[in-house]
Amino acid sequence: MSSLSQRPQQAVVGLPLPHESAALHVTGKALYTDDLVVRTRDVLHAFPVQSPYAHARILSLRVKPAYDVPGVVRVLTAEDVPGVNDAGVKHDEPLFPAEAMFHGHAICWVLAETWEAARLGAAAVEVEYEQLPSLVTVREAIAAGNFQGIGRHLESGDVEAALAAAPHVFSGEFEFAGQEHFYLETNSALAMVDESGQIFVQSSTQHPSETQEIIAHVLGVASHAVTVQCLRMGGGFGGKEMQPHGFAAIAALGATLTGRPVRLRLNRTQDVTMTGKRHGFHSEWRVGFDDEGHLVALDATLTADGGWSLDLSEPVLARAMCHIDNGYWIPNVRVDGRIAKTNKTSQTAFRGFGGPQGMLVVEDLLGRCAPLLGYDAMELRRRNFYEPQHSTPYGMPVRHAERLEACWSEVLEAGEISQRQVDIELFNATHPNTKRAVAMTPVKFGISFNLTAFNQAGALVHVYKDGSVLINHGGTEMGQGLHTKMLQVAATSLGVPLAHVRLAPTRTDKVPNTSATAASSGADLNGAAIKNACEQIRERLEQVASGKLGINPADVRFVDGTVRGIVFDGGTLSWEEVVKAAYLQRVQLWAAGFYRTEGLHWDANAMRGEPFKYFAYGVAAAEVEVDGFTGAYTLRQVDIVHDVGDSLSPLIDIGQIEGGFVQGAGWLTLEDLRWDESEGPNRGRLATQAASTYKLPSFSEMPEVFNVRLLEKAHEDGAVYGSKAVGEPPLMLAFSVREALRQAAAAFGPAGTSVDLASPATPEAVYWALDRARSLEPAGLSRG
Amino acid sequence: MSTPQTLRAAAIKVNGQDARLDGVPVHTSLLDWLRDRGLTGAKEGCAEGECGACSVLVARPGIDSPTEWTAVNACLLPAAALDGQEIVTSEGLGKDTELHPVQQEMAVRGGSQCGYCTPGFVCSMAAEYYRPARTAAAHGTDDHEHGPNGFDLHSLSGNLCRCTGYRPIRDAAYALGVPEDNDAFAARRLSPPPPPAATRLAVDGAEFLRPASLDDVLGVLADRPDARIVAGSTDAGVEVNLRGVRAALVVAVDRLPELREFEVGSSEIRIGAALTLSEIERLLDGRVPLLAQMFPQFASRLIRNGATIGGNLGTGSPIGDTPPALLALDASLVLTSRRGDRVVPLAEYFTGYRQTLKTPDELIRAVLVPLPLAPMTAFHKIAKRRFDDISSVAVGYAIEVADGVVTQARIGLGGVAATPLRARATEDALTGRPWTEQTVREAAAVMAAEGTPMDDHRASASYRSAMLGQSLLRFYAQLEV
């Protein structure tokens, strides 16, 4: 067992604690970025002028009429930028564009004494546009050959030979939608400048260091002149990994130019129309199976709809390509990936980061092919699972592959799946207008940033003379419970009660050069960095304690606020006594911690290597009931067994699994991004740009019975205290819902019906699927 | 420039403290007003009453007790509409360091993750916690939408959470006990809420009026055809927030006693236009099964607590949920003005897209539902989401069969034309025919061609037509079961 993963006796990690801010949440006292405005004097409010066209050249921009609106103080345009006019890291996202690249693109920003005055000021700005041809759908971009970034190719084995030899070959096409993050807190920033020109920005960002960098390059100052702080976010889900930078830069620019604090808060419509979403994909594939239902070859082309700029599309695509196998061993694989450039918001990170899109392709094709092969879909999936000797198409051994089967059999047993299948068959036989189905799908998800350099983290731990502990780390809190886990890690590592440890807000002047809190890696990376800092302090305190106890430093133990030797009668010191003694002996009581994930390597060009520290596994079973008159459905029961290693914080982890699952189900069944694809005047406008038209899962989509279990004896040797990352993988457990809907739709038709199901599988999509199935003659299977 | 003119000091009691309203711009929402005062617990998540992050409690006239704590969307209500009223926010529920029971359950069960929606959930949940009729005996425990403690999950249908997946929130709700004897909020229910206050606030050229009597309202409407009438403000608030509508004169009518009548007579039921959907649901108490089916599908509890039946008809929207039901019930409207009252059949009321027979000086006073009711009724709503969604298609049925023959068929449709309408061709295809599967199949084919459905982001035209055709089959099949 590695020292990183080894857990001491009486550890605070592993306890099912509520969120560290739970009491603040429920009383409304927890502060979010925009809650700080009322606590700040003389704030100016920012409001954008948005393009009404999907693609247009800006011929002229007249800002003067805005200044005639009472309360308007300043209009920010490209001419005001002292540094680089760019909001991204790829230098393809002008902060103030000369060409509107999507419907809703912000052209300039108005600052005013009130939000209302800024709104009216923005309405007064006169922009003359020349409309340009636009590409709104991924199909249009493919037809036009309009791509961006670097296309990728992943290959292993001999696909053509395997397909030629395969007794069963199918081909298909599948286009599926993206997803709006719809974090409840929209993007917001509050910037101010102090007497020395130091810029301080409160930002709702998952990536404070990058927000800092972008602000610095927009303002043309060094990074040390900019501090970014994130108290907490009202949800992020990847949507605040890159998108907040430009908004923070606008606020910072406004504050620099006016000398007053500037608040930028998007309302929901602005947030939805201006910020990137989960990438929708187009896919084409050929797949071969042998006579036993084993996958022998997969040839696929994935086209991500990247929107107008690159943003994170390249790594999203890479992860999609690396997850097209999901949990299945496919000996011969060829995947081509490319990024379409369309006149839409710049699609970005979203929980799963391409993984869900890659996996959806294989889960969809398995669901479609199973009836054609004459297999029950569950059986087809199970017999294709990775086994421990296998490697992925990019050459990484699938360590702990046996956990797929372990999770699967536990769900089968705990969910009484066999019995329920019998019940469902009986129900369906007696209900012509209502059908039920249960489906099971696995998840195998690689943990670490694909880009090796991002797999590092820092922390700063202070022990004060009174024994109290203050921790800082580079991760941000967006509701995922990272701070709760970090408090537990620090308390465990120092051997003090949880109440001794306090956590300070994430800010760039405490821990620099941090990676985004993303890729599910927040606890792995920051936890290890905190543990490293704590261990430095503890080692120094061991020396102090050993002197006072008269024992060997190696025999000193820190347990729940006491310090003693390994033998019971050797005397005990309190934590506070040891800390005080250390101070008097001039021992340093604080430390900076650092961690980098060992053993990773990745050749992005060859698409080969071992980019992940480990895989997270899980299995879900979902049972649905579908109404044959309308296509409406209910989610009757969900059973999940998921691998979080040895959980750092079980209440938090179960919350992540449940929440991720429901969010995934929302993507796959309900949430409907509809862009105006017509040639009409609103071409490129997002029609579902509000909560009234873009529907998130509500209580009615929650599974009626929802059983979540953590896989037991799941120690992960390569991660802090034996745990595994949990943020993203459970989202993909929701494929079970989509596959259950497919099977229920098929149940309206003759046995062996293969159902194509649109994504999202809205009631309308399910209705068309079941209506097609229902109209089929109960004839023989179409095979081959 | 800013010259507040108030007849008296307008103020709202917030968490037990009076807070003045003078000088507050007329279109300022209750949410923005609270947040400007430093009460930042309530959040803006959508600004259109869909997410519930802004939910707060208002002391409203009750049905089962003099006062009931009613959860509403603070983002939709103008602060001025709360003049003289009493509200409680998430910050005001607990005591100093002690969490309120609702807060306690939410906190310890993992009911919050990012916490942004949480204060709103807490307020909606607290309203249900204090619902006088909530008892463990009210519902069996086998219904997953009701807890063993009588907690109605629909009370949270207007609150969205993007993090938890809802299970821990449901468990927190179902774990709640009953308020303790010394609970101040429970005690508050026993005395009446503050009476409606006549309000006149004028700031920066815009005016908010809550006249004291119906006569005063009708006088204002006669003089000012541009006046924006609001009741629950659930529609008007969206226009203010998302479309920048800033009416010069807003007239609130929701507390007028003349508009809040309710009477079950021998030949008709009279429902005051300013009664909220929640109030009507409870006053009717299942006596009109068609409406009883509709209420839980009408938006969310938060919206139903504000939205009035008169408002839903007053907007003239083709996708409102009450018109298809009321058309099937053959309802009429009482329109009132200085010129007197007139009764208009609902089937004649809608004249075009958001156009009605109502003149600018008129107010909907009441809805009349004739008795006896048809014995076979149903309300079908097609939407993406089961709780709190807008209809793609809505259908109300009221059918009478005597000796196996259809003697009367009324079918109201929403979402398939510029106005709500009666499915006349389908009604004709049913009337006088035997009530059999054969008749229903033929009539269903007729119904599939009713209206002029269109493609939009909610549904395709072909799905809407298919749903019309399926609806009658479903109605028949569900009666047969």
Side-chain angles (χ1 to χ4, degrees):
Chain A
M1 198 177 280
S2 71
S3 68
L4 178 64
S5 71
Q6 200 173 358
R7 200 175 273 203
Q9 298 286 315
Q10 286 184 268
V12 181
V13 292
L15 298 177
L17 301 177
H19 194 284
E20 45 83 27
S21 287
L24 298 176
H25 292 157
V26 297
T27 52
K29 288 173 184 159
L31 293 179
Y32 301 78
T33 299
D34 204 51
D35 297 338
L36 304 170
V37 174
V38 66
R39 293 161 174 80
T40 310
R41 285 178 59 88
D42 299 327
V43 174
L44 292 174
H45 304 256
F47 200 99
V49 175
Q50 293 182 263
S51 166
Y53 302 113
H55 192 195
R57 189 171 297 120
I58 295 159
L59 299 178
S60 70
L61 180 61
R62 287 191 62 236
V63 301
K64 191 179 170 303
Y67 284 100
D68 297 336
V69 174
V72 170
V73 170
R74 181 90 192 212
V75 184
L76 302 177
T77 68
E79 289 152 29
D80 295 314
V81 177
V84 183
N85 179 21
D86 197 272
V89 293
K90 295 280 182 183
H91 291 272
D92 65 346
E93 292 180 59
L95 188 59
F96 298 96
E99 193 173 305
M101 294 299 289
F102 64 98
H103 197 290
H105 202 160
I107 307 301
C108 66
W109 292 79
V110 176
L111 307 182
E113 301 288 349
T114 62
W115 192 83
E116 179 77 350
R119 181 180 75 84
L120 295 171
V125 170
E126 294 171 4
V127 189
E128 194 185 343
Y129 296 95
E130 178 195 348
Q131 280 197 71
L132 299 171
S134 58
L135 299 170
V136 172
T137 68
V138 65
R139 284 169 190 274
E140 289 169 356
I142 292 171
N146 204 40
F147 301 103
Q148 57 185 330
I150 300 168
R152 295 292 184 194
H153 180 83
L154 167 61
E155 187 156 359
S156 69
D158 186 340
V159 170
E160 289 305 333
L163 283 174
H168 308 279
V169 176
F170 305 95
S171 63
E173 193 181 359
F174 181 33
E175 186 181 344
F176 49 90
Q179 183 179 25
E180 161 59 30
H181 302 81
F182 220 105
Y183 26 64
L184 265 285
E185 179 210 24
T186 51
N187 272 285
S188 57
L190 176 63
M192 52 197 84
V193 182
D194 76 6
E195 81 290 350
S196 69
Q198 178 77 20
I199 297 139
F200 181 66
V201 182
Q202 302 267 6
S203 171
S204 181
T205 175
Q206 287 175 245
H207 199 348
S209 283
E210 201 167 80
T211 303
Q212 173 198 26
E213 282 171 50
I214 299 292
I215 293 168
H217 90 209
V218 167
L219 297 183
V221 299
S223 288
H224 68 194
V226 180
T227 302
V228 173
Q229 172 165 300
C230 178
L231 291 180
R232 58 168 60 76
M233 283 166 276
F237 315 115
K240 293 173 182 169
E241 184 169 345
M242 290 204 80
Q243 307 292 302
H245 307 337
F247 305 125
I250 294 287
L253 177 62
T256 313
L257 292 175
T258 63
R260 293 174 59 179
V262 172
R263 164 223 195 189
L264 188 158
R265 175 193 170 273
L266 302 183
N267 67 21
R268 180 60 59 184
T269 307
Q270 290 163 350
D271 197 291
V272 175
T273 56
M274 290 165 71
T275 68
K277 308 174 192 323
R278 183 189 296 287
H279 293 69
F281 271 59
H282 175 272
S283 65
E284 284 179 286
W285 48 265
R286 288 186 299 153
V287 65
F289 293 89
D290 68 16
D291 283 325
E292 280 73 51
H294 295 120
L295 285 155
V296 294
L298 174 64
D299 179 23
T301 300
L302 304 184
T303 310
D305 185 349
W308 74 280
S309 74
L310 260 185
D311 195 285
L312 289 162
S313 295
E314 287 174 323
V316 164
L317 176 68
R319 185 167 278 268
M321 295 170 74
C322 289
H323 283 79
I324 199 166
D325 56 338
N326 191 12
Y328 310 111
W329 160 238
I330 316 173
N332 302 285
V333 172
R334 180 169 65 205
V335 188
D336 284 292
R338 54 194 181 172
I339 301 158
K341 182 167 180 164
T342 53
N343 294 106
K344 289 200 277 219
T345 52
S346 182
Q347 314 318 10
T348 190
F350 193 145
R351 202 175 197 170
F353 201 77
Q357 290 95 321
M359 287 154 68
L360 178 54
V361 172
V362 73
E363 293 300 342
D364 179 72
L365 75 83
L366 288 174
R368 283 157 77 173
C369 293
L372 303 175
L373 289 164
Y375 277 101
D376 174 79
M378 273 187 207
E379 177 54 29
L380 185 66
R381 290 190 163 89
R382 192 180 195 175
R383 64 175 50 202
N384 279 292
F385 281 170
Y386 274 115
E387 289 172 11
Q389 74 275 15
H390 290 141
S391 290
T392 65
Y394 46 91
M396 176 163 170
V398 185
R399 192 161 55 84
H400 288 160
E402 70 281 1
R403 290 189 186 180
L404 279 169
E405 179 56 37
C407 292
W408 188 273
S409 34
E410 194 177 334
V411 169
L412 270 181
E413 193 176 329
E416 299 177 320
I417 303 298
S418 304
Q419 181 56 48
R420 281 164 54 205
Q421 283 179 311
V422 173
D423 297 344
I424 286 168
E425 211 159 302
L426 193 65
F427 178 91
N428 288 350
T430 52
H431 291 78
N433 300 316
T434 313
K435 301 294 177 193
R436 292 178 180 169
V438 61
M440 281 173 65
T441 57
V443 164
K444 166 188 127 287
F445 190 81
I447 300 299
S448 296
F449 290 94
N450 263 73
L451 181 68
T452 304
F454 291 165
N455 297 292
Q456 60 172 309
L460 188 60
V461 174
H462 299 335
V463 176
Y464 292 97
K465 281 184 280 181
D466 63 356
S468 64
V469 181
L470 184 70
I471 63 174
N472 263 282
H473 64 91
T476 53
E477 176 64 37
M478 59 195 103
Q480 82 279 41
L482 176 62
H483 286 350
T484 313
K485 288 181 171 178
M486 296 304 95
L487 290 164
Q488 290 178 273
V489 166
T492 301
S493 184
L494 293 172
V496 296
L498 190 67
H500 278 45
V501 189
R502 192 177 175 90
L503 186 144
T506 313
R507 45 189 288 167
T508 56
D509 59 355
K510 294 293 191 298
V511 180
N513 310 329
T514 56
S515 295
T517 306
S520 307
S521 66
D524 279 11
L525 297 178
N526 295 292
I530 287 172
K531 185 165 182 282
N532 172 252
C534 291
E535 281 168 354
Q536 294 174 43
I537 296 166
R538 207 182 61 203
E539 278 164 23
R540 294 175 206 144
L541 292 177
E542 280 166 5
Q543 296 290 340
V544 175
S546 75
K548 293 184 79 82
L549 291 168
I551 58 174
N552 190 306
D555 293 344
V556 175
R557 294 291 178 272
F558 294 78
V559 181
D560 197 26
T562 63
V563 183
R564 53 180 168 74
I566 47 174
V567 288
F568 274 107
D569 52 0
T572 298
L573 301 165
S574 74
W575 163 261
E576 286 80 5
E577 280 176 90
V578 176
V579 166
K580 190 167 182 194
Y583 172 76
L584 294 172
Q585 292 173 28
R586 295 186 293 172
V587 170
Q588 185 184 348
L589 281 171
W590 52 273
F594 185 73
Y595 174 75
R596 61 171 169 259
T597 316
E598 300 295 343
L600 306 181
H601 60 96
W602 180 240
D603 180 339
N605 294 317
M607 293 287 283
R608 291 201 69 80
E610 299 191 22
F612 306 123
K613 184 68 181 174
Y614 56 85
F615 293 105
Y617 300 97
V619 168
E623 181 181 334
V624 299
E625 180 175 305
V626 171
D627 172 34
F629 293 110
T630 61
Y633 44 81
T634 52
L635 186 47
R636 290 169 48 79
Q637 180 166 341
V638 171
D639 295 273
I640 290 172
V641 173
H642 192 77
D643 168 21
V644 298
D646 290 340
S647 176
L648 288 178
S649 202
L651 192 64
I652 299 287
D653 283 347
I654 286 177
Q656 286 297 294
I657 294 167
E658 292 174 334
F661 179 88
V662 170
Q663 197 170 66
W667 170 47
L668 293 167
T669 67
L670 176 66
E671 299 177 33
D672 210 353
L673 288 170
R674 293 291 186 98
W675 272 274
D676 187 330
E677 298 171 4
S678 75
E679 297 297 329
N682 293 320
R683 179 171 168 78
R685 177 181 178 273
L686 182 60
T688 48
Q689 55 173 251
S692 54
T693 47
Y694 186 84
K695 307 306 279 191
L696 307 184
S698 73
F699 264 105
S700 54
E701 285 65 45
M702 180 188 74
E704 293 168 13
V705 178
F706 202 174
N707 301 316
V708 175
R709 300 150 70 106
L710 305 178
L711 184 70
E712 290 181 357
K713 299 191 191 99
H715 185 85
E716 170 52 51
D717 203 46
V720 62
Y721 292 125
S723 65
K724 276 190 179 181
V726 70
E728 295 166 291
L731 181 126
M732 288 149 271
L733 294 167
F735 293 131
S736 55
V737 181
R738 186 170 183 286
E739 293 306 310
L741 289 171
R742 184 201 305 281
Q743 290 169 215
F748 283 92
T753 298
S754 172
V755 166
D756 289 0
L757 185 59
S759 190
T762 57
E764 176 170 354
V766 172
Y767 176 77
W768 295 127
L770 74 87
D771 198 47
R772 278 192 301 272
R774 187 155 64 183
S775 65
L776 292 175
E777 293 300 316
L781 299 182
S782 61
R783 294 185 57 124
Chain B
M1 183 175 75
S2 170
T3 49
Q5 306 163 33
T6 50
L7 301 177
R8 52 173 181 76
I12 305 175
K13 185 176 275 187
V14 183
N15 298 333
Q17 304 277 318
D18 280 323
R20 298 277 289 267
L21 274 170
D22 27 323
V24 175
V26 164
H27 297 288
T28 305
S29 68
L30 175 62
L31 175 64
D32 284 346
W33 180 79
L34 286 169
R35 293 180 57 81
D36 284 346
R37 297 183 52 77
L39 289 168
T40 51
K43 311 288 188 205
E44 181 181 309
C46 70
E48 54 173 350
E50 290 278 340
C51 78
C54 64
S55 169
V56 299
L57 297 164
V58 186
R60 285 266 174 86
I63 291 168
D64 298 312
S65 62
T67 289
E68 288 181 21
W69 289 108
T70 306
V72 296
N73 291 115
C75 75
L76 296 177
L77 284 165
L82 277 295
D83 178 23
Q85 302 302 301
E86 220 175 293
I87 71 168
V88 173
T89 69
S90 60
E91 292 99 329
L93 274 174
K95 298 173 202 149
D96 299 329
T97 56
E98 195 185 332
L99 297 181
H100 185 274
V102 164
Q103 294 171 328
Q104 176 69 19
E105 291 298 339
M106 280 286 280
V108 300
R109 289 173 187 275
S112 72
Q113 285 186 20
C114 85
Y116 198 81
C117 69
T118 313
F121 266 102
V122 162
C123 288
S124 290
M125 200 180 284
E128 177 66 8
Y129 176 69
Y130 288 116
R131 181 165 61 89
R134 180 179 68 88
T135 59
H139 282 277
T141 52
D142 56 341
D143 171 0
H144 65 269
E145 287 174 3
H146 291 87
N149 55 357
F151 191 100
D152 179 2
L153 205 56
H154 284 262
S155 65
L156 304 177
S157 62
N159 293 83
L160 292 176
C161 169
R162 191 54 154 164
C163 297
T164 62
Y166 299 101
R167 195 276 310 160
I169 300 176
R170 179 193 65 184
D171 287 0
Y174 288 1
L176 291 168
V178 294
E180 301 206 346
D181 292 342
N182 61 353
D183 185 314
F185 297 103
R188 177 65 188 85
R189 299 177 300 187
L190 305 177
S191 52
T199 303
R200 178 166 177 244
L201 285 168
V203 177
D204 292 344
E207 195 173 354
F208 179 94
L209 269 186
R210 183 185 291 285
S213 71
L214 179 60
D215 266 358
D216 291 352
V217 170
L218 297 178
V220 172
L221 294 186
D223 296 342
R224 291 286 298 271
D226 65 323
R228 181 67 163 100
I229 303 165
V230 301
S233 201
T234 53
D235 198 54
V238 178
E239 292 183 0
V240 169
N241 293 342
L242 296 191
R243 288 184 264 290
V245 172
R246 301 286 184 267
L249 174 62
V250 176
V251 181
V253 301
D254 52 305
R255 300 293 295 272
L256 294 170
E258 296 91 337
L259 266 57
R260 292 177 50 80
E261 298 162 315
F262 179 82
E263 191 189 351
V264 181
S266 54
S267 62
E268 64 183 20
I269 300 175
R270 186 182 176 94
I271 301 168
L275 290 168
T276 67
L277 273 295
S278 288
E279 287 173 318
I280 300 165
E281 179 176 12
R282 288 166 60 190
L283 289 166
L284 284 175
D285 197 22
R287 271 177 289 198
V288 182
L290 174 51
L291 294 178
Q293 259 191 43
M294 180 206 65
F295 289 123
Q297 301 183 64
F298 184 106
S300 65
R301 171 63 68 201
L302 283 169
I303 293 293
R304 294 199 294 278
N305 285 345
T308 61
I309 194 164
N312 198 236
L313 297 167
T315 63
S317 166
I319 50 174
D321 280 339
T322 65
L326 293 172
L327 284 169
L329 293 171
D330 203 21
S332 299
L333 304 184
V334 180
L335 301 181
T336 186
S337 70
R338 285 224 148 156
R339 294 168 287 135
D341 287 4
R342 60 172 175 147
V343 175
V344 174
L346 187 63
E348 293 165 23
Y349 169 75
F350 301 103
T351 56
Y353 181 70
R354 289 189 176 264
Q355 303 284 311
T356 68
L357 285 178
K358 189 171 77 69
T359 56
D361 66 332
E362 280 181 317
L363 203 54
I364 303 174
R365 180 173 184 152
V367 176
L368 308 177
V369 175
L371 296 175
L373 301 167
M376 289 158 48
T377 60
F379 182 75
H380 291 173
K381 175 167 176 166
I382 306 297
K384 279 182 201 156
R385 196 170 69 190
R386 202 155 52 86
F387 282 8
D388 190 15
D389 199 355
I390 294 166
S391 297
S392 309
V393 174
V395 187
Y397 289 101
I399 290 176
E400 291 181 49
V401 175
D403 301 327
V405 173
V406 178
T407 53
Q408 177 81 254
R410 283 190 305 270
I411 303 173
L413 305 180
V416 294
T419 66
L421 71 153
R422 287 270 294 273
R424 300 282 187 189
T426 313
E427 293 174 4
D428 290 346
L430 288 169
T431 309
R433 303 276 312 277
W435 180 243
T436 61
E437 187 173 342
Q438 169 76 12
T439 303
V440 167
R441 289 210 170 276
E442 287 169 24
V446 174
M447 191 151 152
E450 294 273 10
T452 49
M454 57 177 210
D455 283 312
D456 68 9
H457 50 273
R458 292 198 176 87
S460 67
S462 49
Y463 182 62
R464 286 190 164 98
S465 292
M467 289 304 96
L468 288 178
Q470 291 287 316
S471 176
L472 191 61
L473 300 177
R474 175 179 162 204
F475 178 65
Y476 184 79
Q478 288 174 348
L479 286 176
E480 294 302 292
V481 169

